[in-house]
Amino acid sequence: MATVPSKRKLVGCANFVRSNPLSDAFECEKFDHIEFWCGDATNAAARFGVGLGMGLRCKSDATTGNGTYASYAMKSNDLTFVFTAPYGVESGGSRGEAPHPGHEGRAMMRFFEKHGLAARAVGVRVKDARAAYEEAVKRGARGVLAPTVLTHTVDDGCAKGGQVIAEIELYGDVVLRFVNATDGFDGDFLCNYSATRDAPDVSYGLQRLDHAVGNVHDLIETVDYITKVTGFHEFAEFTAEDIGTIDSGLNSMVLANNNEYVLLPVNEPTFGTKRKSQIQTYLEQNNGPGLQHLALKTDDIFATVREMRKYSHLRGGFDFQAPASDDYYKQLKAKIGDALNDEQYALVEELGLLVDKDDQGVLIQVFTKPVGDRPTLFLEIIQRIGCMRRKADSESFEQAAGCGGFGKGNFSELFKSIEAYEATLQI
Ligand SMILES: [Fe+2]
């Protein structure tokens, strides 16, 4: 059957008119967690714990009767990262039923072999995971895990109740995982993870996931798929021309749910530039589409980055991309204005941060180098300033999502840093 050509077109940042049609196919509240599949969960969790200031909150491993894999859920405020790796699949060490659906030892091993350390699941909190899955599949989603009821039976005196989880394909081997709690479940990840309540509460100020970005071969095809199955709407877009990159390029669209707290930018490479697009490099090194970067929101980026930088040289933390040029910092105040004071401008330069604004607010951001061996996954630390609005039915205020944009004005600085980093790779 011939494919119907998409009606969707990139119009570029200047021509894009933002609107929110409230078109979600199911009730979607916020990001719940990101689960990484890796080669060694103990070490990956420890490294992210030290590097980002996240404490171990619950676990499922051999000490809790899980003979198939080790899995550790790390948390800082409302940000949850989970690291999971199979036990010895070939040696028969991985035995028995996986205690959680969608977690099969051999599949994890294949995933790690193909992608290295990479995100497997973007978890979103929904009102009804079964309804979300059924509606998405009805609209053409490729189902990965049919709705499954979980009941918390671990007697750790902590969580109780149950959950329903379900998964559909997002892009490549990454799934969009729907989660809803039932009967008052209040654990930190999935049912039957054991709480590690004696662990001290650690945080460098990271509050929650701001956006989760994917790299794909074909932007329009992917965006058509995600918007069709979730009902999410387009929140912003950028073309290679908007970004004005130096040597390599990308096109990007940002998708959002109704309340715009689930922000899913998607990138594709562009061709014909002097250097290969960094998105193309990602697609080759990741062996296909996948999650490129995770933006972690803080309310005090100076404190968060200062703390993170303490651990960079110990190799327990993360390396940041090289700071922008002196010219960038000289021109910054003229570009951003009095949204920041002199002391903040000085800290921005001292810590090598980037600043941008849109018509609604200001953002301060910084990017890490790739977190693992491959030039694929990296992190962004972001603070958004402005766009406060009154909460519905409440006297309190909240910040509108995506305030200050996504750093369009910094893309060329970021690209310069990435290109400089890639130039150091002798491959
Ligand atoms: Fe970002």
Side-chain angles (χ1 to χ4, degrees), residues 38-311:
C38 53
D40 189 291
T42 300
N43 281 286
R47 196 274 182 103
F48 279 74
V50 171
L52 296 176
M54 305 181 90
L56 175 64
R57 295 292 286 270
C58 62
K59 64 180 182 178
S60 179
D61 64 6
T63 68
T64 68
N66 180 351
T68 308
Y69 55 85
S71 186
Y72 303 105
M74 312 292 290
K75 202 157 177 167
S76 171
N77 298 303
D78 208 19
L79 175 69
T80 305
F81 279 178
V82 184
F83 299 89
T84 305
Y87 288 127
V89 172
E90 299 305 328
S91 65
S94 177
R95 58 192 188 279
E97 287 276 296
H100 300 96
H103 288 74
E104 196 267 319
R106 252 171 228 289
M108 286 180 198
M109 199 65 98
R110 282 195 301 273
F111 179 96
F112 180 64
E113 191 176 51
K114 187 172 170 189
H115 305 297
L117 167 63
R120 163 60 175 175
V122 174
V124 288
R125 189 93 51 92
V126 296
K127 181 159 186 248
D128 183 337
R130 182 180 300 280
Y133 177 90
E134 284 171 359
E135 182 60 24
V137 167
K138 198 167 89 185
R139 290 165 170 243
R142 294 180 282 275
V144 176
L145 175 70
T148 307
V149 174
L150 304 179
T151 308
H152 194 72
T153 55
V154 172
D155 184 19
D156 56 12
C158 191
K160 57 183 186 322
Q163 288 166 308
V164 182
I165 72 165
E167 296 170 353
I168 62 166
E169 184 183 308
L170 185 59
Y171 33 65
D173 290 328
V174 183
V175 298
L176 184 63
R177 177 180 290 158
F178 304 127
V179 188
N180 77 263
T182 61
D183 309 314
F185 177 76
D186 62 353
D188 283 304
F189 182 42
L190 296 182
C191 286
N192 300 321
Y193 272 64
S194 293
T196 52
R197 282 175 300 159
D198 46 353
D201 225 357
V202 187
S203 173
Y204 303 163
L206 293 174
Q207 296 296 326
R208 66 174 176 84
L209 184 60
D210 185 275
H211 55 275
V213 186
N215 284 349
V216 303
H217 293 288
D218 187 321
L219 178 63
I220 298 291
E221 185 183 298
T222 305
V223 166
D224 276 350
Y225 168 76
I226 298 175
T227 52
K228 188 171 87 168
V229 306
T230 61
F232 292 176
H233 61 279
E234 196 185 336
F235 183 82
E237 67 174 56
F238 313 98
T239 62
E241 290 74 38
D242 288 324
I243 296 159
T245 52
I246 317 302
D247 291 334
S248 62
L250 61 76
N251 292 321
S252 185
M253 285 179 167
V254 181
L255 304 181
N257 69 328
N258 277 4
N259 68 18
E260 300 179 333
Y261 280 102
V262 175
L263 293 171
L264 298 174
V266 183
N267 301 328
E268 71 174 0
T270 54
F271 299 93
T273 41
K274 198 165 93 189
R275 286 176 64 92
K276 190 199 297 184
S277 166
Q278 55 167 285
I279 310 304
Q280 184 60 24
T281 301
Y282 174 102
L283 292 168
E284 290 169 10
Q285 288 289 323
N286 189 60
N287 286 316
L291 199 142
Q292 179 217 34
H293 80 261
L294 293 160
L296 315 180
K297 190 169 181 292
T298 169
D299 294 333
D300 183 352
I301 195 167
F302 305 127
T304 300
V305 171
R306 205 184 284 276
E307 199 61 27
M308 284 180 68
R309 280 195 183 279
K310 285 183 189 168
Y311 305 97

